[in-house]
Amino acid sequence: MSKLELYNIYAGYEESKPVLKDISFFVEKGEFIVLLGTSGCGKTTILNLIAGMIPISAGELYIDGVKSNDTPPRKRNIAMVFQNYALYPTMTAYENIAFPLQNAHYKKKDIDSSVKSIAVELGIDDLLERKPAEMSGGQQQRVAIARALVRKPSLLLMDEPLSNLDSALRNQLRFEIKKLHKSIGATIVYVTHDQAEALTLASRIILLSNGMIQQIGTPHEVFYEPANEFVATFLGNPKINLFSNCDVVIRAQLHYTQLFSNELVLEELNVKDVNIDAIDIGLRPEDIYIQEADSDCSDYYIEATEFLGDYYVYHCKHKISDISFVVKSVHEYQEGRSVSVTFNIEKLYLFNSISKKNIRINDRTYQITLLYLGIT
C-alpha cells in the first residue's frame, strides 16, 4: 500500500494550456479516493500523471515520501484499470491475468498460484479458459481488475471502470469493488462522473471542475456541507433547487430575505466581510413539501410530473413570476393542481451571490440563524 501526496500540481497535454491548476491532495495508505466531476474536468489527467504517463509542468508528486515527478512508470509499482478493459483478445482470461507476472519473470508455480487465487477472490475462476470474446462486459472487467491486482501493486488506479456496463451490472460490480477493497486493503484512486459510485465507494471524494479542486471531503461532508454552489448542484438527484439573488434588506439592525412568501431573518452576519446585498438560497427537492390547495389561496401549481417507481418528482411553478422548483415526494398529485408550499428551514443552504461560496462552510466565524419572522 502506498501513500500519495500531490502539491501545487500543474499539468496538461499542451504546455501553454494546463488542464490541471494548482492541484494539492493526499491519499493515505489503504484509502479509497474518488475523483469526481464532469468530462474534461481533469480526472483522468490526474491518474495519468500519477502513473507517470504525462509530465508534471509544475508542483511535486510524492509516492511513499519519495519525490516521483521523474520516476519512470515501470518503477512506480502502480496498476491501472481502464474503461475499455484493454484485454488481449487472443489470450485466455488466465493468460491475460498471468501476463504481468510472466513479464516480471515470476516462477511458473508462483504465477499459477497467484492467478488462481485472485480469480477466486473475484469470482471468475470458472472463466480462466475463456477468451474475451466469450465473456460478458462484466466478466471482462473482472478479468481486467484481476490482472491489475495479481502482482500486488502498491497503488491501484481505476479510470471509469464501470461506465460501459448496464445499470444492474454496474451496481453489482460496485458492491464487489467495495468488498474487494476491504479484503485486500489496497490504496485506490478511482475516477468517475457518476455521483452514486462516488458516494457509495469513497473514503473521501475530490470534486473537480475545470482542472481545479472544488472540495475534498467524506461523502457525507460533500453532500451535506457543500463548499460552494457547484458542489451543491453536482450532488443530488434530482439536483438542488437554487433561488438566486434573493435580496437582503436591513430593518432594525436585522437582515431579512424572503423565500416562498416567507420572510426570513439572517442574524449575526458580519456585513464588513460578507456580501449580504443578495444571497443564493439552495433547497433540496426532498426538503420542500407541497399539498393540494384552493387555487384562490395558492400562487404555485404543478407544471409537470415524473413517476419514478417509489417516488414522484414534481416540477412546480409560480403562477405569475418565473420562479420554478422541483419537489421529490411519495404522494401523488395531478398535473395542473394548485399547491401550497412549505419547507424544512433547517435544511436551507446559503451561498454568497458573488463568490458562490457556502456562507456556513466558508465563513465559519459567522453564525447564521434562520428564523421565521416572529418565531424564536
Side-chain angles (χ1 to χ4, degrees), residues 20-262:
L20 302 177
K21 305 155 193 170
D22 200 19
I23 297 294
S24 297
F25 65 87
F26 67 90
V27 183
E28 294 288 1
K29 291 182 178 181
E31 197 171 13
F32 198 128
I33 288 289
V34 173
L35 303 175
L36 176 65
T38 57
S39 296
C41 71
K43 307 184 298 294
T44 297
T45 303
I46 291 177
L47 283 198
N48 287 337
L49 71 85
I50 292 171
M53 292 190 284
I54 66 168
I56 295 172
S57 304
E60 298 176 330
L61 169 70
Y62 291 86
I63 300 175
D64 287 331
V66 178
K67 188 174 179 181
S68 303
N69 289 41
D70 301 316
T71 304
R74 66 182 181 278
K75 293 186 177 181
R76 297 191 184 199
N77 194 24
I78 290 173
M80 197 161 180
V81 177
F82 300 93
Q83 177 180 345
N84 61 358
Y85 320 139
L87 299 177
Y88 298 105
T90 59
M91 294 183 181
T92 64
Y94 182 101
E95 291 167 335
N96 267 284
I97 298 169
F99 185 79
L101 300 182
Q102 292 169 342
N103 215 30
H105 307 294
Y106 278 60
K107 293 179 180 178
K108 189 173 181 180
K109 66 176 183 179
D110 293 334
I111 292 173
D112 189 65
S113 173
S114 297
V115 170
K116 288 177 179 176
S117 176
I118 194 65
V120 169
E121 184 82 35
L122 285 164
I124 53 172
D125 47 312
D126 59 337
L127 304 176
L128 292 178
E129 299 308 314
R130 296 190 195 179
K131 292 183 178 179
E134 301 170 312
M135 293 183 280
S136 68
Q139 290 169 336
Q140 290 183 58
Q141 192 57 287
R142 283 187 181 92
V143 172
I145 293 171
R147 183 180 60 187
L149 291 174
V150 72
R151 61 182 180 85
K152 295 182 171 57
S154 57
L155 180 62
L156 178 61
L157 309 179
M158 306 184 81
D159 189 8
E160 301 267 14
L162 308 183
S163 61
N164 286 343
L165 307 178
D166 62 62
S167 179
L169 191 52
R170 198 159 58 239
N171 291 342
Q172 180 186 342
L173 270 184
R174 191 169 67 203
F175 171 73
E176 290 181 8
I177 289 173
K178 190 177 182 76
K179 189 168 66 172
L180 182 68
H181 175 250
K182 285 184 178 180
S183 68
I184 65 176
T187 304
I188 297 176
V189 181
Y190 185 106
V191 159
T192 184
H193 64 275
D194 187 318
Q195 60 172 288
E197 282 181 34
L199 293 170
T200 303
L201 292 171
S203 307
R204 288 184 299 135
I205 293 171
I206 300 175
L207 192 51
L208 295 131
S209 177
N210 296 321
M212 295 181 288
I213 293 175
Q214 301 298 311
Q215 187 170 1
I216 301 175
T218 66
H220 189 278
E221 286 169 345
V222 295
F223 189 86
Y224 288 108
E225 299 177 12
N228 54 46
E229 285 186 17
F230 173 82
V231 178
T233 54
F234 193 91
L235 295 170
N237 186 27
K239 71 178 185 178
I240 196 170
N241 295 287
L242 274 178
F243 304 94
S244 300
N245 295 308
C246 299
D247 291 331
V248 176
V249 297
I250 302 174
R251 295 199 304 271
Q253 298 183 332
L254 292 177
H255 298 82
Y256 295 82
T257 191
Q258 198 168 39
L259 180 63
F260 297 134
S261 303
N262 294 297

